[in-house]
Amino acid sequence: MSKIEVIKKYTLTGHQNPIFALERNVDSTLLFTAGNDKGVVEWDLIKGEFKRVLLPVKSSVYCLHRIANSSLLAVGERSGLVTIIDFEASKVVAKLMHHEKPVFGIQSFYSKPELIVSSEDGTVSIWNTQSFQRLYNFSVSKDTVRCIALNKEENVFALGAKDSKIRIFDANEYSLIHEIDEHSAAITALCFSPDTQQLLTGGRDAQLNIFDPLDYHLVKNLTAHMFTIYGIVFNPELPIIATASRDKSIKIWRKEDYSLLKNISLEKGYPVHRLSINNILWSNYNTLITVSDDKTAMVWEINIT
């Protein structure tokens, strides 16, 4: 891996307010975005064009999640409502009304028909994705539970909270098995390595921490950005990781040793976002998508030679 070439393919415009959430369909032909305006927007990723407003909403959307093994998109709103929409059939199939405060995290399983939802109310709810009945609800923190990460084996998941703690839960019993307290501010991003199962965490303290998967001791600490880290994503094929931040930069890291490979920022001459980057997603091995407070989504081509 000697050189990384970064090309901005598209800037997607049309949102009237900051964008907080993004998701794609299975084959990466469609992109869904949402934020602080009145709808979930569907984009054609092949043409780089607006396609339609998929779902009108009554409050800001903080998270989008495509439910595993399906064409269902879960939409988490500031109101606490989670709407389940079939984006292929263009119809709402369920409305999950339980949380009374904003929903920030949604995660589903491939191995069982269950959905995890986390909220500002400090609790997590578990739902059946066939009947959409609530199965469990449990308290996690006195503060917002901001983000969720599920490991590849789907036997444990991590919850990141505003109280700066990361809590590891058994994914079968939904019982707490470990608590990590290494950050000095709210946890804003979580990700498990797909092969080593190390847990990567990012926070409002701008720190990127890497934890051992066996006992969750701290393996490595990096001051990865200048401000809050809002996304950590592993490339699906290449040995690289991307992070995004409130500091308006995207950074590409080597998976092997977490060394910095590329700083995609205005200071480095890249036509990147001019306000906070709020979320990030690999749509395939060489396409990275970011969304921002500047009301745009950007589609990047990342080539490695």
Side-chain angles (χ1 to χ4, degrees), residues 8 43 87 143-144 195 198 200 203 205 209 235 249 276 303:
K8 185 165 74 173
W43 307 86
F87 55 82
D143 291 311
T144 303
D195 48 8
Q198 288 180 320
L200 279 67
D205 56 9
N209 285 335
N235 186 284
S249 74
S276 172
N303 295 310

Side-chain angles (χ1 to χ4, degrees), residues 30-33 40-44 49-55 87-88 90:
L30 300 176
L31 173 70
F32 308 104
T33 59
V40 178
V41 177
E42 182 179 310
W43 307 86
D44 183 324
E49 296 177 351
F50 169 83
K51 192 170 181 181
R52 60 174 171 165
V53 175
L54 177 67
L55 177 72
F87 55 82
E88 291 182 353
S90 300

